[in-house]
Amino acid sequence: MSDETTRKKVALSGVQPSGNLTIGNYLGALSNFGPFTDEFDCYYCVANLHSITVRQVPAELRRRTYEVLALYIACGLDPDKCTLFVQSHVHEHAELSWMLSCFTMFGELSRMTQFKDKSAKHADNINAGLFTYPVLMAADILLYQADVVPIGQDQKQHLELARNIADRFNGIYSPTFTVPEPYIPKVGANINSLADPTKKMSKSDTNENAVVRILDPRDVIIKKFKRAVTDSDNCISYNNGSDGVRNLMTIYSCFTHKSYDEIEREFDGRGYGDFKTAVGEACADGLADVQKKYGELMADKSYLESVMRAGAEKASHTASKTVAKVARKLGFVQI
Ligand code: TRP
C-alpha cells in the first residue's frame, strides 16, 4: 500500500501550562486524548508560548511545563505512540505564526471573544501577543496539517479562525494547509464551577471551592463537593434539577459512566448530602490512578526531558516541512 492510503488522520491539541488543571480540563480534554492515539497520528503540545500573553512567574511556568507533560502521559498518552512536545522547543511555531499574521485581519482578531474577555481582565497588560494569540494557535494546528482538533467549547472561535486563515492562504496560493475540523466532546466539555454553576469551571478562578483540580488530594476533593452550591429543593433530576444539581450529575456520570436515569434511580428518596459525598468519592476514585502515575513521572525529570527531546525532534521534522513549503510559496529565497 502506498504511503497515502495508510496515512492516519492527524489530530493536534494543546494545553497551556498556566494554572493547575481542573476536572473540567480532565473530562473535557485529557481523558479523551488517550483513545485518539489509536485512531489518529497525534500531536499534543504544551503551549507555553501562549502562556506568556499574561504575566507568568518564570519558575512556575517552568514547573507547570513538566506538570502538563506528566499529566498528558498519566492520562494515557503514550509518548511512543504519539508526539508529545513543548511548543517553545519547535521554533517553527513562532515562524509560521508571523507568516500567518500577514493573512489575518485586524477586524477578525478584534472580534475574538477571548481577547475581549482577557483584555477586560488584564486591562493593565493588553499586549500585542494577547491580540495575536489566535494566529499562534492557527500556526500550531496548520504546521502539522491537522485534520481534527480536540478542543473545549471556548476554543471553537479560534479554530474557526484557523480554518479561515487556511482557506485564505490556500485560495491565494495553492492548496497548502489541511483545513482542520473541531472535535468537541459531548459530555465533559461543560463542567461548571461548583460555586457558581452557571459559569464554566475555570482553572484561574480565585475561589478554590469553585474548582476541583486534577491533582487535589482525595479529602480536598470530597470537601469541595460537599460545599458545592445546589438549592433547597432536594431534587436530583437532570431535567428538573437546578444548574448545580445538573453539573454534579454530569460529573458523576462522567466518572461512573452511569446514565442520568440510573443516577436518578440511585438517589431516589435520598438527600443532597449523600449525593454530594458520592460524587466526591467517584471523582477521587476516578483520579486516583492518574495522580499515582503523575507522582511517579514527576519524580523522574530526566525521563520527562527525554520525552521532550524526542517529541521536539519528531514535531520539528513535520513542522519544518510545512514552513519550507509556505516560504517557497511566499517567494522567500531558499538557500
Ligand atoms: N488556546 C488553547 C487553550 O487555551 C490551548 C492551545 C494552544 C491549543 N494551541 C492549541 C488547543 C492548538 C488546540 C490546538 O485552551
Side-chain angles (χ1 to χ4, degrees):
M1 262 194 285
S2 77
D3 227 31
E4 270 311 300
T5 53
T6 54
R7 181 182 170 269
K8 276 190 192 173
K9 286 195 164 187
V10 174
L12 176 134
S13 199
V15 171
Q16 284 193 57
S18 30
N20 284 321
L21 300 180
T22 71
I23 56 166
N25 301 118
Y26 178 72
L27 297 173
L30 291 161
S31 66
N32 302 304
F33 284 172
F36 260 81
T37 53
D38 294 325
E39 202 183 331
F40 296 96
D41 182 9
C42 291
Y43 290 85
Y44 290 106
C45 83
V46 183
N48 59 347
L49 296 177
H50 278 92
S51 294
I52 61 166
T53 53
V54 300
R55 205 66 75 225
Q56 301 290 329
V57 176
E60 278 179 19
L61 182 62
R62 196 170 294 120
R63 177 172 48 80
R64 288 192 172 131
T65 302
Y66 286 90
E67 284 178 6
V68 171
L69 183 68
L71 271 176
Y72 272 155
I73 303 170
C75 289
L77 292 183
D78 178 347
D80 293 329
K81 281 207 227 150
C82 55
T83 308
L84 305 181
F85 68 101
V86 177
Q87 194 182 25
S88 65
H89 291 159
V90 183
H91 61 74
E92 284 84 359
H93 288 253
E95 239 176 300
L96 185 65
S97 178
W98 169 255
M99 295 168 177
L100 296 181
S101 72
C102 301
F103 296 85
T104 310
M105 299 302 132
F106 184 87
E108 286 178 305
L109 292 175
S110 309
R111 283 194 289 278
M112 294 290 121
T113 54
Q114 194 173 78
F115 170 69
K116 292 190 228 169
D117 290 350
K118 284 201 180 172
S119 30
K121 216 168 132 195
H122 304 277
D124 55 339
N125 183 21
I126 307 177
N127 60 72
L130 199 62
F131 189 64
T132 57
Y133 173 118
V135 185
L136 178 59
M137 182 162 156
D140 297 344
I141 298 164
L142 302 182
L143 270 178
Y144 302 95
Q145 308 289 353
D147 297 283
V148 291
V149 182
I151 40 165
Q153 191 68 39
D154 63 316
Q155 297 297 317
K156 224 181 139 190
Q157 199 185 26
H158 291 162
L159 189 85
E160 200 51 47
L161 179 70
R163 290 169 54 87
N164 290 340
I165 296 172
D167 270 333
R168 187 171 300 145
F169 194 97
N170 290 347
I172 297 173
Y173 299 91
S174 54
T176 308
F177 297 118
T178 302
V179 181
E181 298 286 339
Y183 171 84
I184 301 173
K186 282 183 275 308
V187 268
N190 301 309
I191 303 299
N192 288 341
S193 153
L194 297 191
D196 178 358
T198 60
K199 278 193 342 212
K200 194 189 152 193
M201 185 180 286
S202 158
K203 62 187 172 186
S204 53
D205 202 313
T206 48
N207 175 2
E208 264 310 305
N209 284 322
V211 279
V212 179
R213 306 200 180 268
I214 301 178
L215 301 172
D216 276 346
R218 184 180 183 86
D219 56 323
V220 172
I221 293 176
I222 291 171
K223 203 168 66 200
K224 285 181 177 175
F225 278 107
K226 280 195 179 144
R227 293 197 181 137
V229 168
T230 42
D231 53 75
S232 52
D233 297 345
N234 242 342
C235 172
I236 301 170
S237 151
Y238 197 78
N239 292 324
N240 306 317
S242 61
D243 291 326
V245 169
R246 258 204 306 281
N247 189 37
L248 292 178
M249 286 180 78
T250 302
I251 296 169
Y252 191 62
S253 165
C254 286
F255 280 110
T256 59
H257 306 293
K258 289 177 186 165
S259 69
Y260 295 131
D261 281 348
E262 284 173 279
I263 300 170
E264 283 167 21
R265 277 196 300 277
E266 183 178 352
F267 292 98
D268 189 26
R270 293 163 71 187
Y272 284 161
D274 276 5
F275 176 50
K276 288 180 185 176
T277 304
V279 182
E281 283 174 351
C283 175
D285 289 346
L287 294 174
D289 275 352
V290 170
Q291 294 186 348
K292 182 166 169 278
K293 238 190 256 159
Y294 169 85
E296 290 162 8
L297 288 161
M298 284 302 279
D300 193 353
K301 293 266 157 50
S302 65
Y303 170 71
L304 292 176
E305 282 161 10
S306 74
V307 171
M308 286 180 196
R309 261 191 294 275
E313 204 174 303
K314 277 199 275 178
S316 299
H317 179 76
T318 313
S320 61
K321 282 201 255 184
T322 302
V323 166
K325 188 157 117 182
V326 174
R328 205 174 337 109
K329 298 206 182 190
L330 290 173
F332 292 168
V333 173
Q334 322 247 282
I335 48 170

